[in-house]
Structures are given as structure tokens and as C-alpha cells.
Amino acid sequence: MNSRIAKALIFSIVSLTPACLSDCTSPTSPEDVPCPPGIKPGIQVLYAFEDRYPNAEDVAWDMEGNYYVATFTLLSAPANAWFDESGEWLLSLTEYAFEQLSYSIPEALSNSNYADWKVQHVNLLERMSMGHIYVIKVTDCAKYVDLYYSRLGDLIRVQQTHAANYLHYPVIIP
């Protein structure tokens, strides 16, 4: 290694260390994010994200298994998107207001066994090589159920969950 490059590298490390450490705080509980916060995905992932979501705001990155997961705000709605390490988009989940759904989905819900359950939230689930699915989380006391509807109001799947939040993973179709 060239001595000039080595000196520049050491200078960079020494000069940036105090700035990095000043932004870090010690975790006060296990839920706190350890220092340094966040994950920095590769350039392919960042370009793919920017290309797909040019209006995203408040972007934070995390890892789930081998996937990069971006959590962000899109048109004032919470969203997340999953990418593989090569930058290929695999899945996204965007929150919707129940009132934004087409008439067919609320109508189907009102005619179902879950008509009296409370709607907790609605998400648009998009997966690579699959159609759009609306996931409506309903609750009755401590019971949680995810109802999967097509855009036409067809009930596709009913999944009981044991928590308020269920994590959707990418589905790879060979």
C-alpha cells in the first residue's frame, strides 16, 4: 500500500471517529437500536430502490435473512420493500386507508363471517410475478386474522395470526 494512501486512510479514520461516536448513544433497553444504526445496502439495491420509489421519504434499511428491507413513507403512508442483494425487488407492503379500497372489497368483508370484527389496518401486498393482494387485518378481542382479497373483492385466504403484526416474506417461484 502506498504510504500516502495509508496516511490518508488513517487521517480519515481518526478525523471521522469523533463525529461518528458523537451521534451514537448507549442503548437504554433491548429494544433500542445499537450503535451504529441501520444497514447500508449495496449500490445495486440503492439504485433499484430509488428507481422504484423515487418519492420515498424517511428511508431506513434493515436485514431480514438474506434480504434488504427498506422501511419508508410513500405519499404519507408507511411502506416497506424487500430486495435481494443484487437489487432485484421482491415484495412491498404499503398501508392503505380502508376508505381507499374499491367498493368490492368492503362489500365482500361486510358479507363475510368477519363483518362484525374491527378493521385494524389494510395493506397492499405486492410480490414479484404475482397480482396485487389487499391484506385486511381484523381483530375481535385478542384474536387477529389476516383476510387476503383480490382487487375484485374475492377472498383468497384467511390466516389466523397470534400477534398484531405479521411479517410477509418474499415468495420465490421457480
Side-chain angles (χ1 to χ4, degrees), residues 66-129:
N66 293 328
Y67 302 109
Y68 288 100
V69 181
T71 302
F72 55 100
T73 304
L74 188 63
L75 303 174
S76 301
N80 66 48
W82 295 53
F83 294 85
D84 66 12
E85 61 188 23
S86 69
E88 186 168 16
W89 171 85
L90 302 169
L91 174 143
S92 67
L93 199 66
T94 307
E95 193 167 316
Y96 269 66
F98 189 73
E99 297 75 27
Q100 287 180 292
L101 296 173
S102 68
Y103 175 77
S104 56
I105 298 171
E107 178 70 18
L109 178 61
S110 69
N111 292 324
S112 75
N113 294 336
Y114 302 97
D116 295 332
W117 290 41
K118 181 181 179 228
V119 174
Q120 189 173 21
H121 59 80
V122 178
N123 287 311
L124 171 61
L125 174 63
E126 300 173 272
R127 288 187 171 133
M128 181 177 65
S129 304

Side-chain angles (χ1 to χ4, degrees), residues 10 38 60 100 104 111 126 142 154 156 158 162 171:
I10 291 171
Q100 287 180 292
S104 56
N111 292 324
E126 300 173 272
D154 298 317
I156 299 168
V158 175
H162 300 287
V171 175

Side-chain angles (χ1 to χ4, degrees), residues 25-35:
T25 58
S26 298
T28 57
S29 70
E31 294 82 31
D32 288 345
V33 177
C35 183

Side-chain angles (χ1 to χ4, degrees), residues 33-41 60-63:
V33 177
C35 183
I39 301 290
K40 180 81 171 175
W61 288 94
D62 202 356
M63 292 288 297

